[in-house]
Amino acid sequence: MNVSSWSIRHPVPAILLFGLLTLLGIDGFRALGIQNFPDIELPTMIINATLEGAAPAQLETEVARKIEDKVATLGGVEHIRTSITDGSVTIRVEFQIDTPPETALNDVRNALDSVRVDLPADLNPPVVSKVTTTGSPILTFTVQSERMDEEALSWFVDNDLSKALLAVRGVGKVGRVGGVDREIHVDLDPVKMAALGVTTAELSARLKQVGLDASGGRGDIGGSVQSVRTLGAMVDPRELARLELPMANGRTLHLEDLARVSDTIAERSAYALLDGQPVVGFDVTRIKGASEVEVAQRVRAKVADFKAQHPQVRIQEAFNTVAPVIDNFKGSMELLYEGAFLAVLVVWLFLRDWRATLVSAAALPLSIIPTFLGMQVLGFSLNVLTLLSLALVVGILVDDAIVEVENIVRHLRMGKTPYQAAMEAADEIGIAVIATTFTLVAVFMPTAFMGGVPGKFFRPFGITAAVAVMASLLVARLLTPMMAAYLLKPLDEPNREGRLMTAYLRLAGGCLTWRKTTLLLAAMFFIGSLALIPLLPSGFIPPGDMGQTVVKLELQPGTRLDETRAVAEWARERVRQDPDVRQVFTSVGTIGVAGPFGEGGASDVRKASLTLTLTHRTQRPYPQTLIEARLRKALQALPGARVSLGIGSPGEKLQIALAGDDENALRQAAQAVEQGLRGLQGVGNIASSASLQRPEVHIVPDTARAADLGVTAATLANGVRIATAGDFEMILPKLNLPQRQIPIRVRLAREARSDLAHLADLRLPGRTGLVALSDIATVRLGSGPAQIDRLDRSRNVTFDIELAGRIIGEVQAETARLPALNALPP
């Protein structure tokens, strides 16, 4: 059955069909979320394991290797990348790209469950998470108040603000940036402890046993059933100093007899500053599937209401990642409108008939709008790739309609009526139109089935383009012939052609006359085009101009937080001198914001990041890469710091990894390769993961002497850890308050912890009484690696190369020719 002829004879069903599709498409467009990139889940799992106070070398042997060996037995694992820092192990398990993420997640969890018995007992349970594109914060705010100190303001953010924002639809996480935590410090006097014969470990354990709420038991009083609870937890910090602790030898001690108890803050590990002013910040992360723009609008509205309800605080937006998304969306929609207008204009220039142009132009909205319905059904969003596909096919969508209309006009020139011309022309051209459409589908659809990470991104691109093209076929076969039959008029001058058409026909006739010359010119053009391919730059995504960038600082191991803050402030003053830098948000204690797949930045007191808000690209004649080049030059004189610049978007960096089992050979090869990389022209900073040495205090026990006095290595390590840093965070004694619990940290006073002599006099429980640490061990200064990186169960060194406006393909080709890289042993 010829659907075109049926539609001409029965126009009402076709009109109702496209009316319904248009309404549903408009509703689907309103429901589509606006994002930068589509939500993607990679079959890559992140394992985070923490053991407070453990050195990287210890974690490598006791934790990382055991987990790696177990995970490596899973099917489909391609690479295992491990980063080990002080007290933390992060393992990135990359599966084959076609592995379902949920299957990979379950496999990794099962592997961790089976290896848990081989891991240290004090290790916090490892946490497994998937790598997605939804883990990056979309908004960051700062909070200031003249009526609250920093601790109260931090709790205000953690409790009041977080509670309000988590109720907003689409918000998945609210995280504090900077600020401090309240903590009760019990600073012990080592002299008094030695005189009274007690240890820090014993005091911490007794304090936890005394200040405890416990449940259990049942009461049957008065004919009813009651639960029995023991309420021993302390609720007033002033009670803690007067607390009596029963000791093992039958004595009781008041805590104030040997310690200074203070209600203060935990040891600071981060700062947040906005243009140099101390603030408490918080960032907001959306959930998967939520529109970045809609979530940002809801959050901003909620923050505005919250400010009105709490006038004692000032809340200011520090930076966001939503503005570039809105710019991309607006630019893509403008491009879509321009493409549609130009397509209609070209049709009119050739046909010179407004009725025929209207029939052809109707295919554009009637093809694009139903495509939004298909995108909603498939779970897509309005992002860079789907909008790119629509902008790309906007000129193609009228092709089928133009073919139909042109053939109908040709029949009109034969003197036929519009109804007769539409019936005969549509039937005549139907197979050609269908073949053309499916050819276009065959071009776009394979991009939806590409392999690797690009395939994950381009799946919405290919399917959206294919749906739009199929919608245009439906319009061309059903609506275009019907509209032409009832809207077109018979031609008064059947043989009259427009000037443009006449010129085109004359050119086409010349090509047919000089066939060999035409074929030769076409062949030369084709060969010349192929010859230009090697000269084209290659890359995943070119560097963008988002009006934002991040400066990441890394200082030498052992640097204190205040020193890191001073260097970060020095860097802020330098970059603030650039006229294109509008605002600087500084986060000291972390390096960088979350990456494109939500991995997040590393926490370390020697690291800092400066998020720079730049002038909008419409307010300057030069690109963002030029601004970043100026900033790199301004930061070259930064003393004692590794500096990298870039927001971490795909296509901004090239990574090279060297792996080997021989640590010395790997270190020498890394130095040679780094020298070669720094000789490349036109690239940005080159950051190496080659581990620096950090200062350490080494306690080397005399095993014979320790065994003779009844002190084990575990007792020694536990006593030193509690005396210097306190007990593990999870098992610290707690002070109960109405809405939270305050940790109570028991350890030596700061003046005792900062002196090796005092540390050597630390008392430990032995067989016959307390034993001085110096009697069973040697205490000395030493060093160890600050970070250990591993690749596929071997140590490795990674180089991150900032492209600085260049394309990955160019830099990759140059690095492949480096003599140092080619001289590496296999």
Side-chain angles (χ1 to χ4, degrees), residues 641-661:
R642 288 178 175 176
V643 182
S644 62
L645 197 147
I647 205 165
S649 297
E652 286 189 353
K653 287 187 177 182
L654 173 66
Q655 190 175 84
I656 299 175
L658 307 179
D661 294 323

Side-chain angles (χ1 to χ4, degrees), residues 102-408:
E102 290 299 329
T103 301
L105 180 64
N106 293 330
D107 289 346
V108 172
R109 284 177 175 168
N110 293 336
L112 286 177
D113 290 340
S114 62
V115 80
R116 187 67 180 90
V117 295
D118 298 328
L119 301 177
D122 296 329
L123 183 76
N124 293 331
V127 178
V128 185
S129 58
K130 292 183 290 187
V131 172
T132 68
T133 55
T134 59
S136 302
I138 60 174
L139 292 169
T140 298
F141 294 86
T142 61
V143 185
Q144 295 173 285
S145 176
E146 297 177 355
R147 301 183 185 179
M148 290 187 283
D149 60 15
E150 191 174 13
E151 187 279 323
L153 197 59
S154 299
W155 173 244
F156 179 79
V157 171
D158 291 340
N159 185 58
D160 298 9
L161 253 172
S162 296
K163 191 186 302 181
L165 292 179
L166 287 174
V168 176
R169 184 161 55 93
V171 173
K173 178 184 175 183
V174 178
R176 195 182 77 211
V177 182
V180 294
D181 296 311
R182 185 179 174 185
E183 197 170 80
I184 306 297
H185 285 178
V186 179
D187 296 325
L188 301 170
D189 187 328
V191 177
K192 293 181 179 179
M193 289 175 57
L196 294 173
V198 296
T199 65
T200 52
E202 182 183 9
L203 278 173
S204 181
R206 291 293 179 182
L207 188 59
K208 184 178 181 182
Q209 293 170 357
V210 170
L212 180 68
D213 280 348
S215 60
R218 165 178 167 160
D220 296 298
I221 302 173
S224 62
V225 178
Q226 302 89 20
S227 61
V228 179
R229 297 173 58 202
T230 303
L231 303 178
M234 292 159 289
V235 296
D236 189 345
R238 293 170 294 183
E239 296 178 3
L240 190 61
R242 300 189 297 269
L243 186 67
E244 290 191 23
L245 299 177
M247 307 310 292
N249 55 10
R251 295 181 302 164
T252 60
L253 292 174
H254 287 87
L255 198 57
E256 61 185 357
D257 293 338
L258 44 77
R260 181 176 65 251
V261 181
S262 56
D263 186 355
T264 180
I265 61 173
E267 186 174 345
R268 183 187 288 275
S269 60
Y271 280 104
L273 305 102
L274 183 64
D275 286 333
Q277 297 299 317
V279 295
V280 176
F282 66 92
D283 49 39
V284 181
T285 305
R286 67 182 177 92
I287 61 175
K288 179 185 176 182
S291 168
E292 295 179 12
V293 176
E294 290 182 3
V295 172
Q297 291 173 347
R298 296 191 197 111
V299 169
R300 285 166 175 160
K302 189 67 175 181
V303 168
D305 293 341
F306 195 84
K307 288 167 63 176
Q309 298 171 8
H310 300 80
Q312 74 274 20
V313 297
R314 297 192 306 275
I315 304 177
Q316 180 181 352
E317 186 172 316
F319 69 95
N320 68 82
T321 60
V322 180
V325 177
I326 297 175
D327 284 348
N328 288 337
F329 174 73
K330 291 181 177 178
S332 299
M333 294 303 294
E334 290 174 0
L335 181 63
L336 195 63
Y337 299 146
E338 291 174 4
F341 172 76
L342 291 175
V344 173
L345 179 62
V346 170
V347 171
W348 182 81
L349 289 175
F350 273 90
L351 297 181
R352 303 300 293 269
D353 185 339
W354 70 268
R355 293 178 181 271
T357 302
L358 176 63
V359 173
S360 302
L364 277 171
L366 295 178
S367 300
I368 290 180
I369 293 176
T371 303
F372 296 133
L373 173 62
M375 293 171 60
Q376 182 191 18
V377 172
L378 294 170
F380 296 163
S381 62
L382 294 170
N383 53 66
V384 171
L385 295 170
T386 53
L387 291 171
L388 174 63
S389 68
L390 291 176
L392 185 63
V393 302
V394 68
I396 300 175
L397 298 181
V398 296
D399 283 358
D400 294 341
I402 290 173
V403 172
E404 296 269 8
V405 171
E406 193 277 332
N407 201 40
I408 292 172

